[in-house]
Amino acid sequence: MADRLVLLGVGSKEDFDAGVLRTGILKAVRHLKVKDLQRLGVYCPGVGELSDEVQAIVEGAVMGTFSTGLYKSENSEPVKIGELVLVSDSDVSGLKNRVRNRAEEGLILGESINLARTLTYEPGNRLNPLGFASRASDIAAECGLDLQVFDRKKLDKLGMKALLGVAQGSTQPPCLVVLKHLPGPDEEKPIVLVGKGVTFDSGGLSLKPSASMEEMKGDKAGACAVLAAMQAITKLQAPRNVVGLIPLVENMPGGTAQRPGDVVETFSGKTVEVINTDAEGRLILADTLAYAVESFSPEWILDIATLTGACVVALGHLRAGFFVNDTKLAEAFDRAAGRSGEKLWRLPLDHAYRKDLESKIADVKNVGGRWGGAITAAKFLQEFVADTPWCHIDMAGVESFPANGVLEGPTGFGVRTLFELAFDR
Ligand code: BES
Ligand code: ZN
Ligand code: ZN
């Protein structure tokens, strides 16, 4: 017998899909004032044919247990669910395994998404680059991922001067986390996932205005999405070789900070004139992308980053922007995003935009002009992937739920699409 009955309105029939259901369940769980739910039942008619819905219900329920009160000394206990029961009115005996697998997938993905949300929400003083690497190391040990951490000395030896330049104004040392899930044969080219990990972005000497600067603790959301996706990819045993690369820095305006006008030599050998120290994400990604190309000869590379305010101007808080230089990868990406339900919109990479990045003193400068800032940022990244099929997601607008909405805090955006991509064939 149930003590409480929650009636969940999920809007119009035409708009109903797995995403609506996931968010609906998430909100329902959040609104339950019981902290320790012994049992939660969800009545889902017709579940036999609706295994997408089974996954969505479990994912939503798990996501509903996330709390933003990480450091509250009282009443901060998040909701915990003891048992989740799915109640169906149709005969599911023949489909039990399939349904159960989707439930398991929902559980693991939901937990990974919550991991991304928690890490993204951590303040800059609580999670610096080495702290992130140590959390990544715990996760890797727990789920069986291979992990290496390149420290400052190693990065210097490799010649990652663009990454090091960003980090040099901070007292916190930078690092690069390398995660490997290699179940396939050695000769199989891996896919590489790269996530921007700026644990705090003050802008450096091109200092950001104080209003909303605190939000820049979320400038590591891409890194969190890659770590969390790698966790789910390993736990659910994706059949292909996947490498995750996470460059981590803090961007600060200290006395040793890099100056506007400085010229750095990147891992690829190309030189960059640093016009604006607040365009730091593309600098750390430049070295990481070039390293991915050289070290892994990947089948393709995907990077995900809270890269530009311009992308937020273009697409608002509903959709992330994405760029892709290869038709086959574009198709795989569409399939993955379709399955994940995450909202993205393709933006262009015309060669003509490249001229905005011409520098007098170096091969390229790190910012374009006033217009098309999300695109010129992508054009900058493209300089460092050579001919490798590559996709770039700019998630600056979707890292957090919009202010004043029912939902608040970090979204965990990207985990689902990256996960789906690793299972695409
Ligand atoms: N981390 C920011 C981008 C950002 C803006 C993320 C808003 C989330 C919300 C990035 O490092 C940055 O500062 N970009 C500059 C680039 C500019 C200097 C060319 C920007 O968008 O203003
Ligand atoms: Zn910045
Ligand atoms: Zn940034």
Side-chain angles (χ1 to χ4, degrees):
M1 268 306 283
D3 294 331
R4 288 181 188 75
L5 183 64
V6 180
L7 295 177
L8 183 64
V10 285
S12 70
K13 205 170 173 180
E14 302 87 76
D15 295 338
F16 184 81
D17 61 13
V20 171
L21 182 59
R22 183 195 301 116
T23 315
I25 301 281
L26 190 168
K27 286 183 193 163
V29 169
R30 263 172 53 103
H31 281 105
L32 290 167
K33 297 282 178 257
V34 220
K35 292 296 177 200
D36 224 337
L37 271 179
Q38 298 303 319
R39 259 180 131 212
L40 173 67
V42 182
Y43 174 53
C44 31
V47 73
E49 302 113 73
L50 295 177
S51 39
D52 273 358
E53 275 76 1
V54 168
Q55 182 177 340
I57 290 167
V58 181
E59 252 173 53
V62 175
M63 287 181 73
T65 63
F66 170 81
S67 157
T68 55
L70 301 185
Y71 295 104
K72 279 186 188 294
S73 39
E74 273 169 40
N75 290 330
S76 65
E77 273 293 287
V79 177
K80 283 198 205 93
I81 302 173
E83 195 181 340
L84 179 64
V85 185
L86 304 184
V87 185
S88 170
D89 61 354
S90 51
D91 179 12
V92 293
S93 48
L95 290 156
K96 237 181 196 151
N97 274 337
R98 205 175 120 219
V99 173
R100 192 175 308 135
N101 289 343
R102 292 306 294 267
E104 161 136 18
E105 198 170 321
L107 175 66
I108 289 176
L109 262 174
E111 283 174 345
S112 289
I113 293 165
N114 280 353
L115 167 73
R117 296 166 85 195
T118 305
L119 291 178
T120 302
Y121 206 64
E122 287 281 4
N125 69 331
R126 299 276 176 168
L127 197 65
N128 54 38
L130 294 186
F132 190 109
S134 127
R135 296 279 274 271
S137 157
D138 294 345
I139 287 154
E142 187 190 297
C143 66
L145 271 167
D146 181 76
L147 170 132
Q148 283 169 286
V149 181
F150 296 174
D151 63 6
R152 190 181 335 238
K153 224 171 107 195
K154 166 91 176 170
L155 295 172
D156 194 51
K157 222 163 143 191
L158 285 169
M160 297 209 181
K161 295 282 166 29
L163 190 160
L164 290 169
V166 174
Q168 80 190 27
S170 169
T171 54
Q172 300 301 329
C175 61
L176 176 71
V177 171
V178 182
L179 296 162
K180 290 180 191 151
H181 166 76
L182 304 173
D186 287 353
E187 62 278 8
E188 179 196 302
K189 291 176 165 184
I191 58 175
V192 178
L193 307 176
V194 176
K196 170 179 173 182
V198 178
T199 59
F200 186 74
D201 181 11
S202 71
L205 283 176
S206 312
L207 195 64
K208 286 182 180 295
S210 345
S212 307
M213 199 201 269
E214 73 282 0
E215 288 172 9
M216 284 302 128
K217 70 176 185 176
D219 211 19
K220 55 187 173 330
C224 299
V226 168
L227 175 60
M230 290 300 291
Q231 182 190 48
I233 284 165
T234 306
K235 284 192 175 172
L236 286 161
Q237 297 170 10
R240 70 195 306 175
N241 292 339
V242 189
V243 172
L245 296 177
I246 308 180
L248 292 151
V249 298
E250 184 181 53
N251 188 22
M252 296 290 268
T256 55
Q258 96 177 320
R259 295 144 289 255
D262 282 2
V263 174
V264 292
E265 184 177 345
T266 62
F267 177 84
S268 72
K270 284 190 186 173
T271 54
V272 178
E273 182 184 10
V274 180
I275 298 291
N276 190 316
T277 64
D278 196 12
E280 83 299 338
R282 61 195 78 182
L283 292 170
I284 68 169
L285 292 173
D287 275 344
T288 312
L289 292 169
Y291 176 76
V293 172
E294 183 171 310
S295 304
F296 300 104
S297 314
E299 183 178 333
W300 51 259
I301 307 177
L302 174 141
D303 77 76
I304 178 162
T306 46
L307 203 65
T308 68
C311 193
V312 193
V313 172
L315 298 173
H317 296 291
L318 184 66
R319 286 182 186 267
F322 78 98
F323 302 81
V324 52
N325 67 352
D326 177 86
T327 318
K328 249 184 77 195
L329 178 56
E331 286 165 8
F333 190 84
D334 279 345
R335 285 193 295 274
R339 281 196 303 274
S340 80
E342 288 185 318
K343 292 191 192 307
L344 293 125
W345 198 259
R346 189 169 177 179
L347 297 170
L349 282 170
D350 301 66
H351 179 67
Y353 290 108
R354 165 68 176 78
K355 71 174 183 322
D356 290 11
L357 298 172
E358 279 167 15
S359 161
K360 286 201 177 67
I361 191 173
D363 295 330
V364 65
K365 55 183 188 178
N366 78 329
V367 295
R370 184 155 147 68
W371 310 113
I375 304 169
T376 49
K379 290 305 286 180
F380 180 88
L381 298 180
Q382 193 177 15
E383 290 288 304
F384 301 92
V385 295
D387 293 328
T388 310
W390 155 78
C391 175
H392 157 60
I393 300 177
D394 191 333
M395 63 169 295
V398 297
E399 172 263 299
S400 287
F401 290 108
N404 314 319
V406 186
L407 299 175
E408 49 164 13
T411 57
F413 187 94
V415 178
R416 253 196 295 272
T417 300
L418 268 49
F419 171 82
E420 292 292 351
L421 266 169
F423 279 84
D424 186 75
R425 63 209 91 227

